[in-house]
Amino acid sequence: MKFFIDTANLSEIQEAYDLGVLDGVTTNPSLMAKEGIAGHDKVMAHYKAICNIVDDNVSAEVIATDFDGIIKEGKELAKIDDKIVVKVPMIKDGVKAIKYFTSEGIRTNCTLVFSAGQALLAAKAGASYVSPFIGRLDDISYDGLQLIQQIVDIYDNYGYITEVLAASIRHTMHLIQCAEIGADVATCPLKVITGLLNHPLTDKGLAQFLEDHKKANG
């Protein structure tokens, strides 16, 4: 499973990269705004700064919702760096744009996916990644993990190369369950990734080892 970090914070991205397990980054306009990144030139420069940290897979989201606008923005984003994956919303013009980008060799991430039908359309259009938002589905009392399972099964049935990118992951069990189901990628906050390090028996065992070493060696 690939681990992406869902943030626009450069320090968090660097920390995840230094841990040695980071495969990519996902961002969106909300995450950019959270970091105080505003204005076209600053946003573009920030994407480049992210690309300078990681090895590949930086999802940069378009703002436009019409076909021509998505194409224009997507091409501009793709020119920033070969690591950029153009993030496109699951709307009619978005699906059309994914098909166009695919024909041009530009990778895409279809975002805001909440149903298996939407995921099927994205795969048929040639999306590199499809991003079902499991946490937001859980918020409305729908089983987000069930959706991941549906999409994985459908893609396996027909051999689609689109990767299932589980998004809106809220905690470590979400991540583990997505791995069990067979999601190709999980994108989540840094605290979810570092949360995988934690176990009380690890802490207890390490404390015991250090105490025994201290007793034996003065």
Side-chain angles (χ1 to χ4, degrees):
M1 173 183 255
K2 296 177 185 176
F3 282 6
F4 290 0
I5 186 173
D6 193 37
T7 186
N9 184 286
L10 297 180
S11 296
E12 290 183 352
I13 294 169
Q14 187 68 60
E15 182 178 347
Y17 183 80
D18 290 344
L19 187 60
V21 299
L22 189 65
D23 299 292
V25 177
T26 56
T27 63
N28 59 48
S30 297
L31 292 172
M32 282 289 189
K34 183 178 178 181
E35 298 303 316
I37 310 301
H40 177 270
D41 291 345
K42 289 184 179 180
V43 168
M44 300 295 276
H46 199 75
Y47 280 133
K48 183 60 179 178
I50 294 173
C51 290
N52 289 340
I53 296 174
V54 301
D55 296 328
D56 198 7
N57 299 307
V58 177
S59 284
E61 188 162 348
V62 300
I63 305 299
T65 56
D66 65 288
F67 178 78
D68 291 338
I70 293 171
I71 298 304
K72 180 180 178 181
E73 287 184 28
K75 285 183 174 181
E76 187 176 11
L77 290 169
K79 287 180 180 178
I80 295 173
D81 196 286
D82 290 341
K83 300 172 186 177
I84 291 290
V85 179
V86 178
K87 200 171 182 183
V88 179
M90 169 39 72
I91 55 177
K92 186 176 181 180
D93 278 5
V95 173
K96 290 168 62 178
I98 288 169
K99 183 67 174 180
Y100 173 84
F101 287 135
T102 301
S103 71
E104 294 294 309
I106 296 173
R107 292 180 294 168
T108 55
N109 175 359
C110 186
T111 189
L112 293 171
V113 169
F114 293 97
S115 75
Q118 290 177 327
L120 183 56
L121 288 173
K124 287 186 68 63
S128 306
Y129 299 97
V130 62
S131 292
F133 280 43
I134 62 175
R136 296 193 192 187
L137 284 169
D138 287 353
D139 290 344
I140 61 169
S141 301
Y142 184 89
D143 187 354
L145 290 167
Q146 182 181 350
L147 175 59
I148 300 293
Q149 183 69 72
Q150 281 183 301
I151 298 171
V152 168
D153 288 345
I154 290 170
Y155 285 8
D156 285 347
N157 283 346
Y158 299 102
Y160 288 121
I161 61 172
T162 301
E163 295 189 50
V164 180
L165 195 167
S168 187
I169 288 179
R170 304 282 174 77
H171 45 72
T172 55
M173 283 310 301
H174 262 167
L175 194 157
I176 294 299
Q177 288 166 325
C178 285
E180 289 178 328
I181 291 169
D184 301 289
V185 190
T187 188
C188 53
L190 177 62
K191 66 179 181 180
V192 175
I193 296 175
T194 56
L196 296 174
L197 294 165
N198 301 327
H199 197 286
L201 293 181
T202 301
D203 298 338
K204 182 179 179 181
L206 181 58
Q208 184 65 57
F209 293 157
L210 294 176
E211 181 63 25
D212 291 343
H213 175 78
K214 182 178 180 180
K215 289 177 180 178
N217 294 275

